[in-house]
Amino acid sequence: MTQALFSHRKHWAARLGTAPFLPMTRAEMTALGWDACDVILVTGDAYIDHPSFGMALVGRLLEAQGYRVGIISQPDWHSAEPFRALGQPTLYFGVTAGNMDSMVNRYTSERKTRSDDAYTPNAEPDKRPDRAVTVYAQRCREAFPGTPVIIGSIEASLRRIAHYDYWSDTVRRSVLPDSKADLLIFGNAERALLEVSHRLARGERIGDIHDLRGTAFMAARDWKPEENWLEVASTELDTPGVIDAHVDPYAMAPDGPAAQTPGGADTIKADTIKTAPIRIMSKAERLAARQDMRARTVIRLPDYDQVKNNPSLYAHASRVLHLESNPGNARALRQAHGERDVWLNPPPIPLSTPEMDAVYDLPYARAPHPSYGDAKIPAWEMIRFSINIMRGCFGGCTFCSITEHEGRIIQSRSEDSVIREIEAIRDKTPGFTGVISDLGGPTANMYRMACKSKAIESACRRLSCVFPDVCENMLTDHTPLIHMYRRARALPGVKKILISSGLRYDLAVRSPEYIKELVQHHVGGYLKIAPEHTEAGPLSKMMKPGIGAYDRFKDMFEAASRAVGKKQYLIPYFIAAHPGTTDEDMLNLALWLKKHDFRLDQVQTFLPTPMALATTMYHTEKNPLKKVLGGKGEAVSVVRQGRTRRLHKAFLRYHDADNWPLLREALKEMGRVDLIGNSKKHLIPLFQPAGTGRQPGGTRTPRAESVRAKPGAGKPGAGKGAPTKSGTDKPTSGKPAPASRGRPPQVPKHPLSQRRGGGKSR
């Protein structure tokens, strides 16, 4: 049975009280009356004491249980000395890369180095190493040999088994053997972290703590928790089984040789037969027996060396990992790395609403550490007036890491807890003007949504609750969210409540009342949604709804806006070069954008992040959404070459003159020269404005020659105009439309956007 989060007896240091900020220096420790820290958290982010930042949430949680917690923020990793700044912890080092994966934080989808870091004072780059969890853990080990090291955060979670690494284009080992950590905590860490802390404080060795959900560790190849555990090869779960012939009920004698007695007689004496009464087990007993067996079963994934060299086995291992992600029925996993195994216990049990409230009601300072002075930290500036109301996402988008990290089961705070946080922001956060910038989370509108039955939820093996359509067992009532919105905006001192998290429009269309409430009170002119594509091929690989769901939401959104006399706009996000996308798919998307007069400023090329299902498709060119082994795996088209990736992105920005040379070349190759011309019916014009059309190598493309459309493909453009003084032809029509044409200018990109691998946007 799961122990309540705050049911542990507090550590003795609880008598020392609460720190205004968790200390980052020895001087701060002395001021608090500490001679040592029990736990030291090492992070790649600036220390901001706010529940949106992992090190603050974990630190305050441990502090509430009586532990002295120190913070080492963005240390110089070139030596071990900065890791000795607070002395040796009495219990362990906790290591995290920060709120974002360090590789996603530093590199773009084209593997180019970013020029800024939103989680660093003044956005200064290069303040954390590549693969920060591994580097920090090794330095902690070097600073104080023998001190336990526990790793966590999204970077560790997504690297808990062998994984494809896009930046090195190789399959890398689990982060556990590379970091030499004693324990890895994946997913929501609160339960496991408190349990391991209390057990270490009682004197238990970290090498003996192997029974915590949501943890991974290194073990011997033949290790099992108990002798009665059963090991099953994962390859037996993903291939067609042997079909046994049915027994003939009319046969006079059983097939095969007759049973023989030890004495050779061909009959068995009645008094030698041992009989027992037949016992009929109830359904509940049979279910309990199956659950008990499942709880004592570990699945052996293909070894690291196998998945490294065999794409089919890699795709198979990824599929099994994701199928074993429901806390209600997941089994333990193990994967050999050399002579030892990485052992993964089942995922953590989600927090209850009272537990979520307790975590978010802890005494956060809600400000950056004073040592940063007046430095601006972009991530803090963006979320300082926003509130996280939930965790988890049951969308299951294959390119997204939220499900792998936070799970599919929604964990919601109570309405009272959210209201208390709004009041705290209003009363304590400097610079508050009355506007709450967001009430959301991984998505804006999954608050309190859940399966209609706990039994069904615990047994479910689906990877998404909304694809290919919303599950009939999913409760999609928006009433609790509507009530919270109304109560929040009625608070004194609150002028406006905005919703900035990405909206699941396929859920919103089921509640016209919610759309009306949202449009009338909570949209500041723009609303972010993410159809991601228009074509069925790539959408099926993303596990996203068809474009028809977007059209229905758009109609409802615009009707509701007109009803209240507002001009408001949708900001759609699209992904280029996602697995399963062809050049024709991107062309059709570009034509859809032109038809609807969209000129996108913010576009994203697919970035393969560790452990995502779409990353598996990218690496293996196989579809892990279906069975992979047995010779029936589905092939997936993948865009790898730089030119094709640039082309797919160029289709999203067909209106950008710098993209026209590449698009002209591609359209000719595709046999679609009918789309090149100077009329409104054409996708791109014949001419090339001076000073545009830069190529990757830095050369400029000369002005394009005239291209005639194919017969029957529509009326061509206006053709050539009068010669200019320079002797070149200048078109008299079909000039590029001004940048303001279409929808209004874009809002700045959210620094916590999921487009960079972490945050809220869906």
Side-chain angles (χ1 to χ4, degrees):
M1 185 175 180
T2 304
Q3 187 172 358
L5 188 63
F6 291 97
S7 62
H8 300 274
R9 182 179 179 181
K10 291 186 178 182
H11 193 54
W12 68 266
R15 70 189 70 167
L16 299 177
T18 301
F21 282 88
L22 301 178
M24 293 177 63
T25 64
R26 287 280 193 141
E28 292 174 75
M29 291 171 56
T30 301
L32 293 169
W34 299 3
D35 60 346
C37 290
D38 299 311
V39 178
I40 295 178
L41 302 178
V42 181
T43 176
D45 290 344
Y47 169 35
I48 301 172
D49 201 56
H50 186 280
S52 291
F53 297 86
M55 88 297 289
L57 187 147
V58 167
R60 290 298 187 181
L61 177 67
L62 289 167
E63 181 191 54
Q65 288 293 294
Y67 295 100
R68 298 167 294 177
V69 182
I71 300 281
I72 297 179
S73 171
Q74 297 185 319
D76 182 355
W77 65 92
H78 295 96
S79 74
E81 194 57 35
F83 295 80
R84 300 187 180 104
L86 302 181
Q88 184 174 9
T90 64
L91 296 180
Y92 61 87
F93 279 105
V95 175
T96 166
N99 272 22
M100 287 180 66
D101 183 285
S102 60
M103 301 300 287
V104 176
N105 179 278
R106 191 176 184 192
Y107 298 99
T108 69
S109 59
E110 303 304 328
R111 300 188 179 98
K112 296 178 181 178
T113 304
R114 299 187 192 275
S115 60
D116 60 355
D117 184 341
Y119 292 86
T120 301
N122 295 321
E124 189 175 349
D126 303 325
K127 287 297 184 180
R128 74 186 83 205
D130 290 352
R131 302 180 179 89
V133 165
T134 298
V135 176
Y136 288 161
Q138 291 172 348
R139 288 303 189 197
C140 289
R141 186 72 77 194
E142 181 182 347
F144 295 103
T147 299
V149 176
I150 300 175
I151 58 177
S153 75
I154 192 168
E155 179 167 314
S157 283
L158 301 186
R159 289 170 167 78
R160 54 187 184 261
I161 65 168
H163 56 279
Y164 173 72
D165 183 80
Y166 171 67
W167 298 272
S168 61
D169 196 23
T170 60
V171 175
R172 294 178 63 92
R173 300 193 303 174
S174 164
V175 70
L176 262 171
D178 285 347
S179 66
K180 305 296 191 295
D182 296 285
L183 194 70
L184 184 156
I185 300 180
F186 60 87
N188 297 314
E190 290 92 346
R191 293 194 192 282
L193 197 63
L194 289 188
E195 181 68 22
V196 73
S197 299
H198 287 299
R199 289 168 67 169
L200 289 174
R202 292 196 295 265
E204 193 170 345
R205 293 178 61 253
I206 194 167
D208 296 332
I209 301 176
H210 291 155
D211 58 342
L212 298 181
R213 298 181 70 105
T215 62
F217 50 87
M218 300 300 296
R221 291 289 294 265
D222 59 351
W223 181 86
K224 292 181 181 178
E226 296 177 5
E227 289 298 325
N228 62 350
W229 272 63
L230 174 68
E231 181 176 304
V232 178
S234 66
T235 51
E236 298 177 7
L237 306 177
D238 198 37
T239 54
V242 177
I243 301 177
D244 296 322
H246 292 289
V247 176
D248 183 358
Y250 303 103
M252 299 303 293
D255 294 334
Q260 298 290 323
T261 63
D266 54 6
T267 58
I268 301 176
K269 295 181 180 180
D271 58 0
T272 64
I273 299 175
K274 294 182 179 180
T275 61
I278 296 176
R279 181 174 177 273
I280 305 299
M281 296 178 65
S282 67
K283 181 179 180 180
E285 289 176 315
R286 294 196 303 274
L287 179 60
R290 287 198 299 268
Q291 290 176 336
D292 179 66
M293 176 60 72
R294 196 174 187 88
R296 292 185 287 106
T297 299
V298 59
I299 299 174
R300 178 171 288 280
L301 299 174
D303 298 355
Y304 162 69
D305 290 328
Q306 292 178 303
V307 300
K308 179 181 180 181
N309 300 311
N310 189 321
S312 293
L313 287 178
Y314 183 99
H316 157 76
S318 175
R319 172 177 167 80
V320 172
L321 175 73
H322 285 82
L323 288 173
E324 299 296 330
S325 62
N326 183 343
N329 59 53
R331 290 165 285 190
L333 304 172
R334 68 190 310 169
Q335 184 180 53
H337 284 60
E339 297 180 354
R340 305 183 73 199
D341 284 355
V342 172
W343 181 289
L344 277 67
N345 283 322
I349 299 298
L351 299 185
S352 65
T353 294
E355 290 171 334
M356 284 280 287
D357 289 352
V359 168
Y360 282 87
D361 286 346
L362 293 170
Y364 303 98
R366 298 186 176 278
H369 191 273
S371 63
Y372 299 123
D374 296 329
K376 298 293 185 181
I377 305 175
W380 162 243
E381 297 299 324
M382 184 58 66
I383 61 90
R384 63 192 302 188
F385 305 126
S386 69
I387 296 174
N388 196 337
I389 64 175
M390 49 157 283
R391 291 181 184 171
C393 178
F394 51 74
C397 301
T398 61
F399 53 82
C400 182
S401 303
I402 293 174
T403 300
E404 284 82 357
H405 186 56
E406 296 189 0
R408 291 181 181 82
I409 298 176
I410 302 301
Q411 303 162 71
S412 300
R413 297 169 62 184
S414 71
E415 184 178 295
D416 288 341
S417 175
V418 173
I419 296 300
R420 285 194 297 271
E421 184 169 355
I422 295 176
E423 293 173 335
I425 291 175
R426 178 195 63 191
D427 300 337
K428 300 178 182 179
T429 303
F432 181 64
T433 60
V435 179
I436 297 295
S437 59
D438 188 27
L439 285 183
T443 58
N445 59 321
M446 286 187 182
Y447 180 72
R448 289 198 178 180
M449 291 187 182
C451 187
K452 69 180 183 182
S453 166
K454 283 293 182 184
I456 295 175
E457 179 183 83
S458 296
C460 184
R461 305 277 288 172
R462 286 182 60 164
L463 297 177
S464 171
C465 300
V466 294
F467 182 85
D469 199 0
V470 179
C471 178
E472 61 182 6
N473 297 313
M474 177 56 63
L475 301 177
T476 60
D477 184 17
H478 285 69
T479 302
L481 191 55
I482 294 171
H483 189 270
M484 179 192 291
Y485 287 174
R486 291 172 178 172
R487 184 178 171 189
R489 67 173 183 264
L491 289 173
V494 175
K495 301 175 183 177
K496 186 81 172 179
I497 303 284
L498 297 175
I499 304 303
S500 302
S501 295
L503 189 80
R504 283 298 303 210
Y505 53 86
D506 50 345
L507 296 173
V509 295
R510 292 173 167 246
S511 177
E513 183 183 4
Y514 173 75
I515 294 178
K516 292 178 181 178
E517 189 79 15
L518 183 74
V519 167
Q520 185 171 358
H521 300 287
H522 303 288
V523 176
Y526 306 93
L527 181 68
K528 296 185 298 183
I529 58 173
E532 307 297 3
H533 217 284
T534 58
E535 305 305 294
L539 287 174
S540 68
K541 302 304 183 292
M542 299 175 184
M543 289 208 296
K544 292 286 289 185
I547 197 65
Y550 166 83
D551 292 334
R552 290 193 298 273
F553 177 78
K554 180 175 180 290
D555 291 342
M556 297 173 71
F557 177 86
E558 292 177 346
S561 296
R562 288 193 299 270
V564 294
K566 292 185 176 183
K567 293 189 69 174
Q568 301 185 130
Y569 305 89
L570 296 176
I571 301 178
Y573 284 122
F574 296 94
I575 295 180
H578 189 279
T581 307
T582 64
D583 294 354
E584 288 74 18
D585 290 328
M586 292 307 301
L587 172 57
N588 289 336
L589 173 53
L591 294 173
W592 184 91
L593 291 171
K594 182 176 178 64
K595 176 182 176 182
H596 292 83
D597 210 16
F598 276 121
R599 297 187 166 212
L600 305 181
D601 291 331
Q602 301 176 22
V603 298
Q604 175 68 39
T605 306
F606 171 67
L607 173 59
T609 54
M611 218 170 86
L613 286 166
T615 300
T616 298
M617 298 179 197
Y618 178 87
H619 169 58
T620 67
E621 300 185 15
K622 298 182 183 300
N623 185 5
L625 302 178
K626 301 178 180 180
K627 286 190 175 184
V628 177
L629 304 182
K632 296 184 178 180
E634 178 188 348
V636 178
S637 60
V638 173
V639 178
R640 296 183 187 277
Q641 295 180 348
R643 177 188 179 277
T644 309
R645 287 174 67 85
R646 291 193 302 272
L647 172 62
H648 283 205
K649 190 173 183 178
F651 273 124
L652 290 178
R653 289 181 51 78
Y654 66 91
H655 55 281
D656 186 344
D658 284 334
N659 293 326
W660 291 348
L662 179 60
L663 290 174
R664 287 193 198 96
E665 182 182 344
L667 290 173
K668 292 175 185 177
E669 293 172 354
M670 297 168 68
R672 295 304 308 271
V673 293
D674 57 298
L675 295 176
I676 305 173
N678 298 328
S679 76
K680 293 182 179 180
K681 294 182 179 180
H682 296 100
L683 183 65
I684 56 173
L686 293 167
F687 65 92
Q688 188 69 38
T692 64
R694 285 185 179 274
Q695 298 300 297
T699 59
R700 294 185 182 275
T701 301
R703 183 165 298 169
E705 297 179 358
S706 176
V707 180
R708 288 188 179 274
K710 290 183 178 180
K715 186 178 179 180
K720 297 182 180 181
T724 61
K725 292 181 180 180
S726 61
T728 59
D729 293 329
K730 183 177 180 181
T732 57
S733 63
K735 294 182 179 180
S740 60
R741 182 170 176 264
R743 60 187 178 82
Q746 291 283 339
V747 295
K749 183 177 180 180
H750 196 304
L752 301 187
S753 170
Q754 185 63 21
R755 306 289 146 182
R756 289 188 59 176
K760 299 177 179 180
S761 187
R762 294 287 297 134

